């Protein structure tokens, strides 16, 4: 027997990267303004959040530049998602809006993550769904801070189905967010 160790979260004490050349080997940069040449020259540059999340390995950091992203992203690997700017309201900053309104803008299926400085805009359902990994049905040790979560008409902002919300051992830190309709 031994002690089970969880992945170590990335250290986000530095500045947001200035560009592709400023990334470490375990970091990706998403920017909706990338030109085709920039994308072709780097395997760490993406125009879509979901594509970066699909390519990221456990322990990676996905930095998202200010802009508008319309997609339904799923994160099923322990990565950190760091937005460049939360924005002053739901209309600016790093903005992820659900492309398919019947699905969440972001579906979180992994533990031990940091998600910060983003704006999430939902459709008919949740803007952010904490669905948990298969077999666990919950999300644990999530740092969800400094985000704006917008529930569209009839939808919800942040939803856990099911989630150990409120349980003393879940380790979730959901603070300093703005929830709005």
């Amino acid at each position: 027997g031994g002690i089970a160790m969880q992945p170590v979260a990335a250290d986000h004490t530095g500045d947001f990267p200035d560009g592709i050349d400023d990334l470490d080997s375990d970091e990706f940069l998403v920017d909706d303004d990338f030109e085709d040449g920039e994308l072709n020259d780097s395997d760490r540059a993406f125009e879509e959040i979901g594509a970066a999340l699909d390519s990221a390995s456990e322990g990676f950091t996905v930095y998202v530049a200010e802009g508008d992203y319309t997609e339904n992203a799923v994160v099923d690997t322990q990565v950190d998602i760091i937005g460049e700017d939360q924005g002053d309201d739901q209309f600016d900053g790093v903005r992820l809006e659900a492309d398919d309104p019947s699905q969440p803008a972001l579906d979180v299926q992994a533990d031990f993550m940091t998600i910060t400085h983003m704006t999430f805009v939902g459709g008919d359902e949740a803007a952010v769904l904490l669905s948990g990994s298969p077999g666990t049905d919950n999300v644990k040790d999530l740092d969800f801070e400094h985000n704006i979560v917008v529930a569209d008409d009839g939808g919800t902002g942040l939803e856990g189905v099911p989630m150990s919300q409120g349980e003393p051992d879940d380790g979730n830190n959901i603070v300093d967010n703005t929830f709005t309709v």
Side-chain angles (χ1 to χ4, degrees), residues 7 17 21 27 39 68 78 80 89 98 101 103 131 141 145 154 160 176:
D21 295 335
E27 297 175 333
L39 293 174
D68 291 318
Q78 183 267 316
D80 292 333
D89 58 37
Q103 300 295 317
S131 63
D141 296 300
E145 302 177 349
D176 294 328

Side-chain angles (χ1 to χ4, degrees), residues 36-94:
D36 286 337
E38 291 174 292
L39 293 174
N40 293 339
D41 290 340
S42 175
D43 59 354
R44 295 181 295 159
F46 299 87
E47 284 183 297
E48 295 180 339
I49 297 168
L53 295 173
D54 289 345
S55 296
S57 297
E58 189 171 288
F60 273 48
T61 300
V62 176
Y63 290 101
V64 185
E66 187 173 332
D68 291 318
Y69 303 89
T70 304
E71 57 185 293
N72 300 91
V74 176
V75 57
D76 59 4
T77 304
Q78 183 267 316
V79 298
D80 292 333
I81 305 170
I82 311 300
E84 181 177 19
D85 183 15
Q86 170 185 336
D88 295 324
D89 58 37
Q90 66 187 12
F91 301 106
D92 65 354
V94 178

Side-chain angles (χ1 to χ4, degrees), residues 142-159:
L142 170 67
D143 285 326
F144 190 85
E145 302 177 349
H146 309 292
N147 298 294
I148 297 174
V149 182
V150 182
D152 217 3
D153 189 30
T156 59
L158 178 68
E159 184 176 326

